[in-house]
Amino acid sequence: MGFNCVRLTWPLDLMTNDTLALKITVKKSFESLNLFDDVLGIQTHNPKILNLPIFNAFQEVVSNLGQNGLMVILDNHLTYPGWCCSDNDLDAFFGYPNFDPAVWAKGLSKMATLFRNVTNVIGMSLRNEPRGTRDYPDLWFRFMPKGAEAVHAANPEVLVILSGIDFDTNISFLRDRFFNVSFTGKLVFEQHWYSFSDGGDTWVKHNSNDICAKIIEKVTHNGGFLLDRGFPLILSEFGTDERGVDVSGNRYMNCLVAWAAEKDLDWAVWALTGDYYLRTGTKHMVETYGVLDATWKNVRNSTYLQKLSGIQHPFRGPGLQDKKLLFHPHTGLCVTNNHSGNVPTLRLEQCTKSESSTFNPKEGVLWINKICVETPDVAGEKVKLGVGTKCSKLGQISATKMHLSFKTNKGVLLCLDVDEGDNSIVANPCKCLTKDASCDPASQWFKVL
C-alpha cells in the first residue's frame, strides 16, 4: 500500500509491570477478556505468538515489521492498556494520578534500552496527546526534556519525538521558548489534526475555500511554523471516516492533503486497524478510519488510499531532482501531458510519473514540461498545451489560492477542473467562490508545489 513506517503504540505499564509484560501470555490475555474465538484465530494464523509473554509478542511484531522493510516509531500512547483519549483521563498529563513523570521516564529508558540494537526502530514518541485541565506549557517544559534525555541516554541513535499539548494540536509555546537538551540533530516534533480538532461543524458551516485557508493558518500557528525554522515536524495523526459519510471529514482531508504536499510532511495516518478485538467493552468494533476493512485483508476505500498515495513520496529533499508539480489533492494525483490524441491535452497521473510543472503567479502562465498551457474559450472543453506563443494567463483566486482561473474572450470566468470520467483537465465555471457552505470545490483545487 506504499507505507514504509508503523507508529506502534504501547502502554507505559508494559515497561513497569513485569507481570503484564513477562508472565501473561497472549493466550491468557485474550482468555481473560473472554475472547476465545480470537484465540482460535491467532492459533490458526499466528501460532508463533500465541504462547509468548505479551512483551515478547510485541518484540515479535517489531521484528516482523523489520523483516518486511518497515520502520517503527515506538509511541508511548497511555499508561495502562485501554482506549485513548479524553480530557478527564487519569493519565492525561504530567502529575495526574496515573501519570508519574519519574515512572514515565524510567519506562521510556527501559523501552529504549530493549530496542537499542533493533535497527528498524528509528524513533520514540515520548507521549501521545498530552491534554487535560492542567496541560500547562510550564509543566511540559519541566518534564518533557527529562523524558527526552532518558531516551537519548538509553539509545543515542533513535529519534526523539515530542508531542505538544491540547491533544497534541498545539506546540505554539515553542515560538519563543527554547527546548533545552544535551543532544542535537535528532529532535522531531509531532502534531495531530482531525476535522473535529477544528470544533463542531466548522467544515460544513463555512465555505470550504475560506475555512481551509483559516484552519491552515491556525495549524501553522500552532506548530507548522517549526518547519520554517528548520525543525522536523511529523503529522503523526490525522484521518477521517472512510465510508465517505462525514462531509466535514471529506472536506478537511482535501485541505490537509494539500497542506501536507506543500510542506512535504512526514506523516502517520490513523489507522491501519480494520477492527478491534475489544474496544471500550465492545468486541470487534469496526474502525471506520481504518485503511484495512474488518477482514484485515482488503483496503477499506481505494479512493482514500489513492489520495494518500499523493503524499507518500517526497517532493523535495537531498538526492531528489528539482521537479515541481501541480498537485490535485482530491485525487492525490498530479497534472501531466496526455500524449494520446492528435492535440496534446492535460490529465492527472501518479505524481511519480508526471512531468514537471511550473507556475509563476506574477507571470500567470502554467508550463508542463516547458510547454505552456492554452485554455479553451468554452466551458467543458479540455485544456490543451499551447502551440507557439499561445500561452494563457491564469490567476489564483479564492482564499486557498488553489483555484486556477482565467477569463474567456467573452469575459466568462472559468477554472481548471477534472473530468472524473477520464481524469482529463477541463475548464468549468469556478465553484464555491461565494459564502455558500453547501458547495464543495475539491475537484477544482490544484496545489502548486
Side-chain angles (χ1 to χ4, degrees):
M1 296 185 293
F3 299 103
N4 64 3
C5 186
V6 173
R7 179 175 177 254
L8 189 62
T9 64
W10 61 279
L12 189 63
D13 204 30
L14 192 63
M15 289 292 97
T16 58
N17 181 349
D18 285 345
T19 298
L20 171 69
L22 303 176
K23 297 182 180 179
I24 297 177
T25 63
V26 171
K27 184 173 185 289
K28 288 181 179 178
S29 176
F30 275 75
E31 288 176 343
S32 71
L33 298 167
N34 296 318
L35 299 171
F36 299 104
D37 288 344
D38 296 308
V39 170
L40 293 177
I42 297 171
Q43 178 67 56
T44 301
H45 298 288
N46 286 291
K48 182 178 179 180
I49 69 168
L50 188 62
N51 293 304
L52 290 179
I54 291 209
F55 177 69
N56 297 123
F58 186 85
Q59 287 178 305
E60 187 64 29
V61 171
V62 173
S63 175
N64 190 268
L65 290 169
Q67 291 165 23
N68 285 278
L70 287 159
M71 296 177 283
V72 172
I73 292 172
L74 299 175
D75 165 47
N76 177 222
H77 212 68
L78 67 180
T79 297
Y80 299 112
W83 180 250
C84 181
C85 302
S86 299
D87 263 319
N88 58 359
D89 290 335
L90 295 180
D91 64 348
F93 202 65
F94 300 111
Y96 275 50
N98 291 344
F99 194 174
D100 183 324
V103 173
W104 166 72
K106 289 180 181 178
L108 288 175
S109 177
K110 187 176 179 181
M111 180 64 83
T113 299
L114 289 168
F115 285 96
R116 178 166 179 161
N117 296 316
V118 180
T119 55
N120 68 309
V121 174
I122 53 92
M124 285 190 60
S125 177
L126 302 191
R127 189 71 172 195
N128 176 68
E129 297 195 353
R131 62 202 177 277
T133 57
R134 300 199 301 273
D135 60 343
Y136 305 132
D138 283 348
L139 286 178
W140 189 94
F141 276 106
R142 179 180 175 185
F143 294 115
M144 199 62 81
K146 294 180 179 179
E149 294 286 7
V151 168
H152 174 67
N155 189 342
E157 300 301 319
V158 77
L159 295 172
V160 177
I161 305 173
L162 309 177
S163 304
I165 61 174
D166 194 16
F167 292 85
D168 196 22
T169 62
N170 187 0
I171 38 181
S172 61
F173 45 80
L174 289 170
R175 282 180 171 273
D176 51 15
R177 291 182 68 174
F178 191 73
F179 188 81
N180 291 304
V181 286
S182 64
F183 55 89
T184 59
K186 51 182 279 186
L187 274 181
V188 179
F189 297 96
E190 62 180 317
Q191 190 171 6
H192 292 179
W193 178 16
Y194 291 98
S195 63
F196 50 79
S197 307
D198 305 321
D201 297 325
T202 296
W203 287 92
V204 294
K205 288 181 178 178
H206 301 277
N207 174 278
S208 290
N209 291 306
D210 296 334
I211 199 61
C212 177
K214 184 177 180 180
I215 297 299
I216 285 178
E217 283 185 7
K218 184 189 81 169
V219 172
T220 300
H221 175 272
N222 284 354
F225 70 92
L226 289 167
L227 293 165
D228 297 326
R229 296 188 179 184
F231 288 100
L233 177 71
I234 178 174
L235 184 64
S236 57
E237 269 193 41
F238 69 94
T240 194
D241 190 327
E242 293 181 40
R243 296 172 297 179
V245 296
D246 181 4
V247 175
S248 290
N250 295 340
R251 293 179 177 182
Y252 131 92
M253 275 295 295
N254 292 321
C255 182
L256 180 147
V257 169
W259 181 67
E262 179 188 25
K263 297 300 181 182
D264 198 32
L265 284 173
D266 289 340
W267 49 267
V269 65
W270 186 275
L272 178 68
T273 316
D275 71 346
Y276 298 89
Y277 294 113
L278 186 69
R279 172 173 155 181
T280 56
T282 301
K283 293 181 179 180
H284 296 284
M285 181 186 291
V286 172
E287 174 57 273
T288 59
Y289 281 45
V291 170
L292 296 177
D293 67 11
T295 69
W296 287 73
K297 294 180 180 179
N298 306 310
V299 172
R300 184 178 301 280
N301 185 331
S302 59
T303 301
Y304 183 83
L305 190 61
Q306 172 62 58
K307 187 194 299 281
L308 292 180
S309 75
I311 54 174
Q312 282 182 325
H313 301 279
F315 292 110
R316 55 181 178 267
L320 297 176
Q321 294 180 354
D322 186 20
K323 184 178 179 182
K324 297 181 180 179
L325 299 169
L326 188 61
F327 179 64
H328 191 246
H330 182 56
T331 58
L333 301 173
C334 288
V335 176
T336 193
N337 183 4
N338 185 5
H339 295 283
S340 62
N342 296 326
V343 179
T345 56
L346 300 179
R347 62 181 171 84
L348 294 178
E349 177 61 272
Q350 296 285 344
C351 292
T352 53
K353 299 179 182 178
S354 62
E355 293 167 296
S356 183
S357 305
T358 54
F359 178 77
N360 185 331
K362 292 182 180 180
E363 180 190 32
V365 177
L366 173 62
W367 302 81
I368 306 294
N369 199 21
K370 299 182 180 180
I371 304 175
C372 69
V373 168
E374 178 186 351
T375 52
D377 206 42
V378 178
E381 290 190 356
K382 293 183 179 182
V383 177
K384 300 182 293 184
L385 288 176
V387 179
T389 59
K390 292 183 178 180
C391 298
S392 299
K393 293 291 183 74
L394 299 171
Q396 290 177 298
I397 58 173
S398 77
T400 61
K401 298 188 183 298
M402 286 195 282
H403 279 86
L404 295 181
S405 68
F406 62 95
K407 285 189 176 180
T408 67
N409 291 332
K410 295 182 179 180
V412 178
L413 185 68
L414 299 178
C415 282
L416 300 193
D417 204 340
V418 176
D419 183 334
E420 293 184 1
D422 61 2
N423 273 348
S424 61
I425 307 301
V426 296
N428 279 324
C430 300
K431 296 179 182 177
C432 314
L433 301 184
T434 66
K435 297 297 181 182
D436 182 5
S438 65
C439 181
D440 184 4
S443 69
Q444 294 186 344
W445 275 0
F446 293 88
K447 192 70 180 179
V448 180
L449 304 180

